[in-house]
Amino acid sequence: MGEDGHLHHCLSAAELAGSRNDPTLLGASWLGPELPAELAAAGLPLQHIRAPLLDGGGRPAEAWFGARSCRDGMAHGVHFRCDGQLLFGVISLAEEAGDGASPPLQVAGQRAYESLFRVLAEEGYPHLWRVWNYLDDINGTVAGLERYRHFNIGRHQAFDNANRLQGCTIPAASALGVAGGPLSIAFLAARTACISLENPRQLSAYRYPADYGPRSPTFSRAALARIPGQEWLFVSGTASIVGHLTVHQGDPAAQTREIIANLEALLAEAGGVSTGPAYRLDELSGRAYVRHPEHLAAVQAELVRALGAHAPIVYVQADVCRADLLVELEAQACHLFV
Ligand code: 3EB
């Protein structure tokens, strides 16, 4: 386990490289165009997110530590490590010519999730808590449909085939556009269930109307999960959406304030379900995805006001999954208890 008992840490490259022989290290993600050589050689399940860092990004690694020694595995294209309680895995799939009838990204999305579900079944970690999805050119149009919507069709089909479309089996997630990479999916799963949360200010994404694509996005707004001694809150990518509508088009500061209002509502939901103390904005760590680098100052000013100047937020450039969304925040918090 990490030294302070936390499942997750924000680390520098040197810190992550220094942890690579920690037997409890489940895996990690690295933000930035270049993957440091010492991490490429570490042999970990590692999600490399090729997104440009916007603010110097001192600690662009996220690492996930289990409670016990991990076992390493590779199956169905998924590289994973698991500790008997948690499983962290990564899969990357190139978009290749599909089956002729379906677009390549739809096929890749469906195959990636089918592989992921197969690993969960074979290894005995049936509960999917949190997923991080990255894809190239998310807002591009192919065959008259936005590529994010192609991805949603494939993802939805895989969840449907696995009988995982019931609300309580839908994980927290993020889905962002990062130029030039393959479809990359990282996930955290467990032997025990999490509690999926929805946001009272927002329509559940899995119920979005067909205006947003023929199949709705398959994610919950947050997941609350327990491991011995710790309660974890995973907040999905959260944008300036109220109901199902984008609000504050063209205004990055106002979009960020709406995100904060969404987060406050979600934290209140989490507090209602948790047996412990309330969740507060200033205990969140996470990532802010900013579409246009020139909006960084406006976004950062609002987040610093709400989360505090020392909040461990990494700011990166990425494309949000609706063309009119300028910013998205994903986050997590951990409560320790005895
Ligand atoms: C939204 O609320 C913004 O497709 O997995 C946020 C989090 C968003 C996850 C996903 C999409 C996803 O609809 C976009």
Side-chain angles (χ1 to χ4, degrees), residues 159-202:
F159 272 80
D160 196 9
N161 292 348
N163 275 320
R164 285 176 175 266
L165 280 179
Q166 300 79 14
C168 62
T169 59
I170 295 178
S174 314
L176 280 302
V178 173
L183 173 64
S184 169
I185 299 177
F187 61 96
L188 191 63
R191 294 216 193 273
T192 53
C194 63
I195 299 170
S196 299
L197 302 176
E198 291 301 312
N199 191 325
R201 301 183 83 241
Q202 298 184 303

Side-chain angles (χ1 to χ4, degrees), residues 61-87:
E62 260 178 23
W64 301 92
F65 293 90
R68 286 169 286 220
S69 285
C70 293
R71 177 171 65 77
D72 211 277
M74 174 74 86
H76 311 294
V78 178
H79 186 192
F80 64 88
R81 279 169 68 84
C82 53
D83 74 343
Q85 179 171 42
L86 298 166
L87 183 147

Side-chain angles (χ1 to χ4, degrees), residues 38-323:
E38 69 263 41
L39 297 185
L44 290 168
L46 185 87
Q47 185 174 45
H48 178 201
I49 304 157
R50 293 169 178 77
L53 297 165
L54 294 180
D55 70 337
R59 296 161 77 83
E62 260 178 23
W64 301 92
F65 293 90
R68 286 169 286 220
S69 285
C70 293
R71 177 171 65 77
D72 211 277
M74 174 74 86
H76 311 294
V78 178
H79 186 192
F80 64 88
R81 279 169 68 84
C82 53
D83 74 343
Q85 179 171 42
L86 298 166
L87 183 147
F88 178 86
V90 182
I91 180 169
S92 290
L93 274 189
E95 294 175 38
E96 284 162 3
D99 50 19
S102 309
L105 178 56
Q106 176 188 326
V107 173
Q110 181 172 341
R111 286 193 184 146
Y113 273 89
E114 284 171 352
S115 300
L116 185 168
F117 292 144
R118 217 164 277 151
V119 168
L120 299 192
E122 289 174 5
E123 303 297 327
Y125 296 78
H127 301 284
L128 187 56
W129 287 358
R130 177 63 167 102
V131 187
W132 295 264
N133 306 282
Y134 298 92
L135 43 143
D136 189 21
D137 192 21
I138 195 168
N139 302 125
T141 297
V142 171
L145 195 68
E146 187 182 33
R147 278 168 47 82
Y148 173 58
R149 300 177 183 196
H150 291 276
F151 171 73
N152 278 329
I153 296 171
R155 173 170 59 173
H156 186 278
Q157 191 63 50
F159 272 80
D160 196 9
N161 292 348
N163 275 320
R164 285 176 175 266
L165 280 179
Q166 300 79 14
C168 62
T169 59
I170 295 178
S174 314
L176 280 302
V178 173
L183 173 64
S184 169
I185 299 177
F187 61 96
L188 191 63
R191 294 216 193 273
T192 53
C194 63
I195 299 170
S196 299
L197 302 176
E198 291 301 312
N199 191 325
R201 301 183 83 241
Q202 298 184 303
L203 184 65
S204 295
Y206 50 82
R207 300 213 170 99
Y208 281 169
D211 320 19
Y212 301 98
R215 292 290 178 277
S216 49
T218 312
F219 68 97
S220 63
R221 298 297 181 185
L224 191 71
R226 282 195 164 204
I227 60 173
Q230 303 180 34
E231 184 179 78
W232 273 85
L233 177 65
F234 299 93
V235 178
S236 293
T238 302
S240 181
I241 294 173
V242 177
H244 59 77
L245 297 174
T246 299
V247 293
H248 315 298
Q249 301 217 2
D251 185 340
Q255 288 202 5
T256 308
R257 289 192 293 271
E258 201 66 54
I259 289 172
I260 292 158
N262 281 334
L263 289 177
E264 283 174 329
L266 204 46
L267 295 187
E269 289 293 298
V273 172
S274 170
T275 51
Y279 280 91
R280 300 186 323 268
L281 283 176
D282 64 4
E283 61 187 309
L284 296 175
S285 66
R287 293 178 187 149
Y289 299 101
V290 181
R291 181 184 291 278
H292 302 298
E294 63 270 26
H295 290 161
L296 173 66
V299 169
Q300 201 163 21
E302 297 298 336
L303 289 181
V304 163
R305 200 192 334 268
L307 308 182
H310 301 293
I313 303 293
V314 179
Y315 293 83
V316 296
Q317 191 284 321
D319 294 335
V320 189
C321 65
R322 288 185 191 179

